Amino acid sequence: MIVRIDYNSDEAFYVQLKNQIIMGIATAEIREGESLPSVRDLAELIGINMHTVNKAYSILRQEGYLKLDRRKGAVVSLNADRMRAIEEIRFQMKSVVAKALCRDLGAQDIHKILDDVLEEFYGVRSVEH
């Protein structure tokens, strides 16, 4: 797993780390059952504080992406509660769509952005709008 922290970003380091781990899971770079580096090892590897890594791991656990095991450390373990996941994503998407609308983007723009993002993951274009 390659993690890159943007030290010039306004986004908190723990958020960057959390999002990159989720992206790694989504692209199968990180697989179900795989152990992530220890908090200490990852902090040293990417040059951030251990508490920052611990915060990212804790949030990933709360959101159902990881389980914390005393022997194996942080292990990818996806929560299979589909309805809960749908509601969480719907809530997050409302915020993203609201930001897009505030920036004067329309439905066609939003669909294009979503298609582009899905293409990054799947390598193919979704249904055209």
Side-chain angles (χ1 to χ4, degrees):
M1 175 179 74
I2 298 173
V3 177
R4 291 185 180 89
I5 297 297
D6 180 355
Y7 296 97
N8 296 317
S9 174
D10 290 336
E11 191 171 52
F13 294 162
Y14 78 91
V15 174
Q16 291 182 49
L17 178 57
K18 175 186 75 93
N19 290 341
Q20 288 185 46
I21 291 171
I22 291 170
M23 294 283 277
I25 295 167
T27 60
E29 181 184 340
I30 308 169
R31 299 191 182 276
E32 175 93 22
E34 186 175 329
S35 292
L36 297 181
S38 71
V39 169
R40 182 182 312 269
D41 288 347
L42 188 54
E44 285 180 22
L45 180 69
I46 60 179
I48 61 176
N49 188 292
M50 285 177 28
H51 297 293
T52 302
V53 175
N54 192 47
K55 185 172 185 175
Y57 279 10
S58 293
I59 293 170
L60 287 164
R61 182 190 57 76
Q62 291 170 354
E63 292 180 356
Y65 295 98
L66 299 179
K67 67 178 179 180
L68 301 179
D69 183 290
R70 289 190 188 270
R71 294 165 301 194
K72 295 181 180 180
V75 178
V76 176
S77 177
L78 302 176
N79 183 338
D81 185 353
R82 183 172 168 76
M83 291 307 293
R84 184 174 136 219
I86 289 171
E87 287 307 311
E88 286 175 10
I89 298 302
R90 182 184 312 275
F91 178 78
Q92 292 169 0
M93 286 184 78
K94 281 183 177 181
S95 175
V96 170
V97 169
K99 289 176 184 177
L101 295 174
C102 287
R103 292 197 166 95
D104 211 20
L105 299 178
Q108 189 172 8
D109 298 314
I110 296 167
H111 284 287
K112 168 87 171 79
I113 293 167
L114 180 57
D115 284 341
D116 291 346
V117 170
L118 289 171
E119 186 174 3
E120 286 180 36
F121 283 103
Y122 295 112
V124 295
R125 205 84 173 127
S126 68
V127 175
E128 292 298 322
H129 301 280

